Every structure is written in structure tokens, then in C-alpha cells.
């Protein structure tokens, strides 16, 4: 989607990148069978996998904000696999350095799934994970990134195939949330509803993941009791 990007720093580079989910490996958490993103061992050609997937730039990222998402590997897989969620406070930067071990501006690890590359740890069914922002001295503008990070994979023993679905960015501090009603179930996340809690210009973006063409009514709510007028949007499903 718009605002997302990727960088493959695997060494040596392979023939694959982040790609549309393959239903032959497993189907999506919800929606169309292939409506998730995936990466696999072919990100490298006999070396370390370090493949980055960047979310859109977010404003006023604050302590207590959190990312939720679902991830899994194929059932019956016998490889460990590993995924990190990292944060950069450098605005729109996607600088992760130029090598498989560099992280550039993305120095903060919010979550690591299977950090020790242990067999049997990464879930084989869709499992919800939460990565929470802590340790910031003040709100920042920056990016969250997923890093498929599999070391010592020259023999192909540590990495195989992972999927990510239903990524949601949640604001803390009572800035508000987005909800959907009508149409079919979808995934929604919003950025900050104001540059400072309860003040500033409202800036929000809502993403939906519908199963088919549908009409959605989006209502933004605020803990002080304010509720926005419903905004109806028509969603046409397609791939671009």
C-alpha cells in the first residue's frame, strides 16, 4: 500500500523479496487467501537474511503506542525463523545501513519473535503479537519496520517462510481510535488524531482490508466524548 517500502540487505542477495502471500503455504488470517505479505529463505543466496519492511511515516509516536499484527510459519515447517519489529525516530528515513548486520536509524527493538532462532518457537498458526513503544524522551516522527532476520543461514537450516497480516498501529494517551461499521469486516489503523493530545489539527488515515467490494462507515471517537459524523467510503478491491 501507499507509504510502505522495503529494503533487502541480505548477504549475498537472493532472488526473492517481500511478496504477496502464497496460499499453498497457508492462507491469510482473513480476507482473500493471498492477502498477507510473506518472505522466505530465497531472500539470500546462502548467507544471512536481513530483509526490511517499512510502515508509512507516523507522527507523534509516543510511549505506550503499540503495533499489533499476526504472524506465522507453515504448519509442519522444521526451521526456526525470526522476525523483529524496530523503530526509527528519524522521520521518513528508511536508512538501515548497507550490510546484513547494520540497522541504520532503526536502533530500537520493540519486539523479537524467536530471538535465539530456536526450533519450535515461531507459531504455526496465525498468532497475534504486540510491540509497545517505551523509552522515548518525547514524541517523535518516525517509522516502524519489520525485519526478517535470520543469521547463519548458509545451510538453509534457520529460515524458510513467514507471513505477516493485519498490522494495526494504536495510539496511546486518549488520542482516539478508528472503528468500522457496515460492509464486511476489515482491518483499520490510524495515525495520530492530533499533533498534541486534545489540540492541534486532526490528521488521520484509515486503512481497511475488505474481503470484497463494500461500503464502510468510519467513525472516529475520542475519550472526551466527541464522536465524529460518520464518513461513508466505497471500497473497491483490486491489486495494484
Amino acid at each position: 500500500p501507499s507509504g510502505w517500502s522495503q529494503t533487502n540487505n541480505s548477504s549475498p542477495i537472493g532472488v526473492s523479496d517481500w511478496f504477496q502471500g502464497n496460499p499453498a503455504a497457508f492462507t491469510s488470517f482473513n480476507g482473500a487467501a493471498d492477502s498477507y505479505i510473506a518472505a522466505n529463505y530465497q531472500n539470500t543466496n546462502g548467507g544471512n537474511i536481513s530483509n526490511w519492511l517499512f510502515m508509512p511515516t507516523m507522527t507523534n509516536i509516543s510511549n505506550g503506542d503499540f503495533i499489533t499484527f499476526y504472524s506465522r510459519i507453515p504448519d509442519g515447517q522444521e526451521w526456526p525463523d525470526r522476525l523483529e519489529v524496530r523503530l526509527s525516530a528519524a522521520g521518513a528515513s528508511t536508512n538501515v545501513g548497507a550490510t546484513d548486520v547494520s540497522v541504520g536509524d532503526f536502533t530500537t527493538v520493540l519486539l523479537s519473535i524467536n530471538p535465539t532462532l530456536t526450533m519450535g518457537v515461531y507459531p504455526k498458526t496465525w498468532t497475534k503479537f504486540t510491540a509497545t513503544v517505551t523509552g522515548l524522551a518525547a514524541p517523535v516522527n518516525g517509522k516502524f519496520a519489520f525485519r526478517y532476520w535470520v543469521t547463519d543461514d548458509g545451510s538453509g537450516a534457520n529460515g524458510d517462510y513467514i507471513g505477516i497480516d493485519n498490522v494495526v498501529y494504536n495510539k496511546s494517551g486518549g488520542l482516539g481510535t478508528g472503528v468500522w461499521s457496515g460492509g464486511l469486516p476489515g482491518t483499520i489503523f490510524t495515525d495520530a488524531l492530533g499533533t498534541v493530545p486534545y489540540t492541534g489539527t486532526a490528521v488521520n488515515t484509515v486503512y481497511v482490508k475488505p474481503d470484497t467490494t463494500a461500503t464502510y462507515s468510519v467513525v472516529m471517537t475520542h475519550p472526551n466524548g466527541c464522536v465524529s459524523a460518520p464518513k461513508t467510503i466505497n471500497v473497491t478491491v483490486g491489486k495494484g
Side-chain angles (χ1 to χ4, degrees):
S2 176
W4 290 73
S5 60
Q6 52 187 291
T7 296
N8 190 352
N9 272 357
S10 302
S11 180
I13 198 78
V15 297
S16 72
D17 213 319
W18 290 95
F19 53 85
Q20 192 81 26
N22 179 6
F26 49 79
T27 58
S28 66
F29 176 74
N30 67 354
D34 67 344
S35 61
Y36 66 96
I37 197 164
N40 67 5
Y41 67 97
Q42 291 180 309
N43 287 178
T44 187
N45 183 20
N48 291 339
I49 298 172
S50 182
N51 198 3
W52 297 80
L53 177 65
F54 306 102
M55 291 177 61
T57 305
M58 302 294 179
T59 59
N60 286 327
I61 300 172
S62 305
N63 291 329
D65 292 0
F66 59 100
I67 300 289
T68 61
F69 63 96
Y70 288 79
S71 189
R72 64 167 292 180
I73 59 176
D75 189 18
Q77 176 177 312
E78 300 303 329
W79 292 270
D81 277 316
R82 175 169 58 195
L83 181 69
E84 292 182 336
V85 181
R86 285 179 171 264
L87 172 65
S88 163
S93 172
T94 56
N95 171 33
V96 291
T99 72
D100 54 329
V101 296
S102 62
V103 296
D105 295 327
F106 291 79
T107 55
T108 301
V109 180
L110 301 180
L111 176 70
S112 181
I113 304 174
N114 196 16
T116 59
L117 287 170
T118 301
M119 197 78 74
V121 171
Y122 215 107
K124 298 179 180 179
T125 59
W126 285 114
T127 300
K128 186 176 184 179
F129 292 92
T130 301
T132 303
V133 177
T134 60
L136 295 179
V140 299
N141 298 336
K143 281 182 177 288
F144 297 94
F146 295 95
R147 183 193 191 194
Y148 185 33
W149 172 228
V150 183
T151 52
D152 298 323
D153 205 42
S155 64
N158 285 336
D160 184 56
Y161 182 100
I162 64 167
I164 300 173
D165 204 357
N166 283 32
V167 180
V168 182
Y169 171 43
N170 303 271
K171 287 298 298 179
S172 65
L175 288 179
T177 58
V179 297
W180 66 267
S181 62
L184 298 172
T187 297
I188 290 176
F189 72 87
T190 70
D191 64 3
L193 297 185
T195 56
V196 179
Y198 306 109
T199 64
T201 302
V203 179
N204 62 79
T205 305
V206 177
Y207 296 82
V208 298
K209 179 188 170 185
D211 293 321
T212 186
T213 299
T215 297
Y216 286 77
S217 178
V218 179
V219 178
M220 307 310 296
T221 61
H222 195 285
N224 67 8
C226 296
V227 179
S228 70
K231 174 66 175 179
T232 300
I233 55 174
N234 295 317
V235 177
T236 301
V237 177
K239 294 180 182 178

